[in-house]
């Protein structure tokens, strides 16, 4: 059974880089035709897609975040990562990783989520 | 870019039917998916491809679509249905792929 688990610092200072990793078990991130994505949710607000990386390594980012986001994958460790540069308090959110099969278009399963607070 | 519009809140008495809408100018030409999210939990898919249910989702939960509006209906509402609900589409029609979520609707069971 495919499982995803986010990990990374829970506190990041303003103007620094937020870094999170999603560890995948029960399947390979190299599996053909799967996207691996990041979604965030500010406290009390809705879901926002951040970006995805395809099994081949190609990436797609939310246009509103594209200038600050990098998603990468390490197939040897079977995990993928998120970096968000120049963070502000507005980037405080629960960050979820999830997967999406190319032939379905919806995300599932999801990780449990990781709260990242941006504060000095 | 793609925008999906949901009502911020819907309230319904137990046993009644709740309907949550999701509007967007391209909904008629793409599949709509729905998630349920309870406090402190990750979203869970409850309807995919407009009207299909994953295994384990009760038949009380159903989806439909007409024109550029998709609707999630929950019949015989129970207290346990109280949650936030999000619609989502995947815009794969351009070179740049986008996954788009609606703003979410809080379902309150009176």
């Amino acid at each position: 059974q495919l499982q995803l688990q986010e990990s990374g610092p829970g506190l990041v200072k303003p103007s620094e880089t937020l870094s999170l990793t999603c560890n995948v078990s029960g399947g390979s991130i190299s599996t053909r035709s799967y996207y691996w994505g990041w979604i965030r949710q500010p406290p009390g607000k809705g879901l926002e897609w951040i970006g995805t990386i395809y099994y081949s390594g190609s990436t797609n980012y939310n246009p509103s975040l594209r200038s600050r986001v990098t998603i990468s994958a390490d197939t040897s460790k079977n995990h993928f990562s998120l970096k968000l540069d120049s963070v502000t308090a507005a980037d405080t959110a629960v960050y979820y990783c999830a997967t999406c099969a190319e032939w379905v278009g919806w995300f599932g399963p999801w990780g449990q989520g990781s709260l990242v607070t941006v504060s000095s | 870019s793609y925008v999906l519009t949901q009502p911020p809140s819907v309230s319904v008495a137990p046993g009644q039917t709740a309907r949550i809408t999701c509007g967007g100018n391209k909904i008629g030409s793409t599949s709509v998916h729905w998630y349920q999210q309870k406090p402190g939990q990750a979203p869970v898919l409850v309807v995919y491809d407009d009207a299909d249910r994953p295994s384990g989702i009760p038949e009380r939960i159903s989806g439909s679509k007409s024109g550029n509006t998709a609707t999630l209906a929950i019949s015989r509402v129970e207290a346990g249905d109280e949650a936030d609900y999000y619609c989502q589409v995947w815009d794969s029609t351009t070179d740049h792929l986008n996954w788009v979520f609606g703003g979410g609707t809080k379902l309150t069971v009176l």
Side-chain angles (χ1 to χ4, degrees), chain A residues 41-105:
Chain A
Q41 185 172 35
K45 296 187 178 181
L47 302 169
E48 179 181 34
W49 170 68
I50 299 171
T52 53
I53 186 165
Y54 197 37
Y55 79 100
S56 63
S58 64
T59 54
N60 285 275
Y61 300 131
N62 187 320
S64 69
L65 297 169
R66 186 178 296 148
S67 64
R68 299 194 291 132
V69 173
T70 303
I71 296 176
S72 59
D74 186 333
T75 55
S76 66
K77 296 181 179 177
N78 208 38
H79 73 210
F80 60 104
S81 300
L82 168 70
K83 290 189 185 298
L84 182 63
D85 297 328
S86 305
V87 297
T88 70
D91 295 309
T92 293
V94 174
Y95 286 77
Y96 295 98
C97 59
T99 189
C100 172
E102 182 178 45
W103 60 89
V104 299

